[in-house]
Amino acid sequence: MDTIVKNWIENSGCDNIKTCLFCQHVGAVACGAKPAAIINISADDFMRCRPIKTRVSVKVIARNGNMLKAFVYNRLELLKVLRDDKCKRTLSGLGYKDTADSEGLIRQMVDRIRNQTEFPHEIGIFLGYPLKDVCGYMGINELKLTKKLGWRMYGDTLESEEIYFKRKRVRQQIGRMLNESQYLTV
């Protein structure tokens, strides 16, 4: 993971602090620590980060003036999540069509965000939260709330904590490397 993070920093195209912070947030997705994230950023800052177009995929959810809300995802990592049979069954039960088409699932999720007044809770599946935690939060399994650490964790928290701490380590590593780099002197 260290090499992947180092490569991300060296090629990130950060030219100011704000862009570096954006690259830090998206870096967890680009490096594979998270399958996806939803970000809010100005269109100008978004365009400054060169590797966004090569390391992650982006679907713009909404635009308000110069501000963008975007679903940023690591295609390979998200496809792993969406190809899981339990995930497919859960999404099918929530009204998603043709769960064999992962790209179609992503489009449906983005459409739900755009068209619903309430944020769809199943977004947690796409963002890489453990399925048991997403289902627990939605009340569609019998697991009890065990812990809150970054998100609400249900049942046995071992898998959830491993995911949480992996993501935290990657964000910290990117932040540390950015602080040590030449980019923050601009």
Side-chain angles (χ1 to χ4, degrees):
M1 186 63 74
D2 289 350
T3 304
I4 295 170
V5 171
K6 186 174 187 293
N7 184 292
W8 170 253
I9 297 300
E10 289 173 354
N11 296 299
S12 68
C14 292
D15 60 1
N16 64 45
I17 291 173
K18 199 185 313 182
T19 307
C20 285
L21 293 173
F22 165 71
C23 289
Q24 180 181 3
H25 186 70
V26 174
V29 175
C31 295
K34 289 179 70 169
I38 293 180
I39 59 163
N40 293 301
I41 189 167
S42 76
D44 296 336
D45 290 335
F46 178 78
M47 295 309 292
R48 281 190 196 110
C49 197
R50 289 188 310 263
I52 191 71
K53 296 173 186 160
T54 58
R55 293 303 251 347
V56 296
S57 299
V58 179
K59 298 224 182 276
V60 175
I61 296 168
R63 185 175 188 142
N64 184 3
N66 191 41
M67 294 302 295
L68 299 175
K69 178 182 292 229
F71 180 70
V72 178
Y73 62 102
N74 180 315
R75 189 174 190 288
L76 294 176
E77 293 301 317
L78 186 53
L79 292 180
K80 286 180 198 173
V81 171
L82 297 177
R83 288 183 178 146
D84 178 75
D85 287 335
K86 290 179 184 177
C87 176
K88 287 180 186 181
R89 281 193 301 276
T90 300
L91 291 171
S92 178
L94 294 170
Y96 282 77
K97 309 287 188 256
D98 190 13
T99 57
D101 176 14
S102 298
E103 289 293 330
L105 288 172
I106 295 166
R107 281 190 303 277
Q108 290 175 69
M109 184 273 307
V110 168
D111 286 343
R112 284 184 179 207
I113 293 172
R114 287 179 182 148
N115 299 320
Q116 292 182 359
T117 56
E118 186 175 303
F119 212 72
H121 296 302
E122 69 272 10
I123 186 68
I125 295 170
F126 295 85
L127 299 177
Y129 296 114
L131 185 60
K132 68 175 187 63
D133 294 338
V134 176
C135 291
Y137 181 78
M138 295 177 74
I140 56 177
N141 67 19
E142 301 289 321
L143 297 176
K144 301 289 184 209
L145 176 63
T146 309
K147 179 185 260 185
K148 293 180 186 177
L149 181 65
W151 63 86
R152 292 178 182 176
M153 299 177 181
Y154 293 79
D156 182 4
T157 63
L158 183 62
E159 174 193 16
S160 303
E161 290 177 21
E162 286 175 1
I163 291 169
Y164 171 80
F165 287 112
K166 176 183 177 184
R167 292 175 182 179
K168 183 176 180 176
R169 280 190 306 274
V170 168
R171 282 191 309 270
Q172 288 173 336
Q173 184 179 14
I174 292 170
R176 206 171 31 257
M177 288 179 163
L178 283 170
N179 284 330
E180 295 168 358
S181 76
Q182 64 194 9
Y183 303 116
L184 293 181
T185 62
V186 174

